[in-house]
Amino acid sequence: MKKKFLTAALILAVATPTFFVNPPEVFAAKVNISAENLSAAEKEIFEKGFYVKKIDAEIFARIKGKSFKDDCIVPIEDLRYIHVLHKNLNGETLEGEIVCNAYIAYDLIDIFQKLYLANYPIEKIRLVDEYNADDELSMRDNNSSCFNFRFISHTKKVSKHGLGLAMDINTLYNPYVKEVDGKRILEPATAEDYVDRKKKFPYKIDKKDLCYKLFIEHGFEWGGDWTDRKDYQHFEIKSDIVKMLYPNFF
């Protein structure tokens, strides 16, 4: 999907946006938070901008052989496509696409609705398939994404991203840092300026951050809390729930 900027002026001027699709079998995202401060045109865009649907043939063609690899252990029926809106640092409204596990689909909808209404800046939310499912390339571009059947860095264990049960946010500015055999691993490799979490810079996630608070409220755990490594971009479903969903995975 081609990304489009939706400026405040356009939002106010257009009552019926033309770039939103109304695909079949769409599960309309319930607006369960206050949007009272939006104009009628803004509210229409808001309501049409957030939805969940099953993975259809068109979406599957985009992810097959990339994030959905031939050895993927997650049935395609377990995954969902999510369309969201988000703001960048300039306050412009952008479209975002996510593939995730059905278990967290409406949690993500609720989280991203609240982030959008709060003008929380997220630079990009694109399918990792646009980067040929190369996580390093996606992170260097500060892309936020969810499903990608792959292994945890420097292990042989399937990542919760591989189950569609983890979400990474503003990845360049919130890197993964770990010591392996006395050597520091940094992902993305271009994130050196953002390792020191005492520094001030845009897109930084910490415990005062709205993004952190919303994911924690929805039962996710944050990689920034881990002691053996730090994954400041990363929010995932807890392992006891994953064991319940996929008992044969462990």
Side-chain angles (χ1 to χ4, degrees), residues 91-110:
E92 297 164 309
T93 293
L94 305 173
E95 294 181 78
E97 297 181 288
I98 301 168
V99 169
C100 69
N101 196 291
Y103 183 82
I104 65 170
Y106 282 98
D107 289 290
L108 293 185
I109 284 288
D110 186 71

Side-chain angles (χ1 to χ4, degrees), residues 69-122:
K69 299 171 178 62
D70 292 341
D71 58 350
C72 182
I73 64 173
V74 181
I76 194 67
E77 294 80 10
D78 287 10
L79 300 177
R80 294 292 184 270
Y81 170 90
I82 302 178
H83 186 281
V84 301
L85 301 178
H86 64 100
K87 299 288 185 70
N88 61 15
L89 277 178
N90 295 324
E92 297 164 309
T93 293
L94 305 173
E95 294 181 78
E97 297 181 288
I98 301 168
V99 169
C100 69
N101 196 291
Y103 183 82
I104 65 170
Y106 282 98
D107 289 290
L108 293 185
I109 284 288
D110 186 71
I111 289 169
F112 283 103
Q113 284 178 341
K114 290 176 179 175
L115 292 175
Y116 175 78
L117 289 179
N119 296 315
Y120 184 91
I122 301 175

Side-chain angles (χ1 to χ4, degrees), residues 1-5 19 62 83 95 97 126 130:
M1 176 181 290
K2 184 179 180 181
K3 296 294 174 294
K4 300 184 180 180
F5 289 86
F19 63 88
R62 294 172 62 189
H83 186 281
E95 294 181 78
E97 297 181 288
R126 300 173 179 170
E130 294 188 21

Side-chain angles (χ1 to χ4, degrees), residues 27-38:
F27 299 87
K30 294 181 179 179
V31 181
N32 53 11
I33 55 180
S34 176
E36 294 177 356
N37 293 330
L38 299 180

Side-chain angles (χ1 to χ4, degrees), residues 73-74 78 101 103-104 149 152 157-167 219-221 226 234-250:
I73 64 173
V74 181
D78 287 10
N101 196 291
Y103 183 82
I104 65 170
F149 189 75
I152 297 173
K157 182 178 180 181
V158 176
S159 166
K160 289 180 183 176
H161 285 287
L163 303 174
L165 292 170
M167 184 81 204
F220 289 76
E221 62 180 42
W226 295 340
H234 181 88
F235 297 93
E236 68 173 41
I237 288 298
K238 296 177 181 179
S239 294
D240 57 343
I241 296 177
V242 179
K243 290 178 182 179
M244 176 189 71
L245 295 173
Y246 298 101
N248 296 328
F249 174 69
F250 289 88

Side-chain angles (χ1 to χ4, degrees), residues 217-239:
E217 286 175 6
H218 280 265
F220 289 76
E221 62 180 42
W222 181 46
D225 282 331
W226 295 340
T227 56
D228 62 331
R229 64 201 185 281
K230 295 295 182 182
D231 199 352
Y232 298 107
Q233 64 192 248
H234 181 88
F235 297 93
E236 68 173 41
I237 288 298
K238 296 177 181 179
S239 294

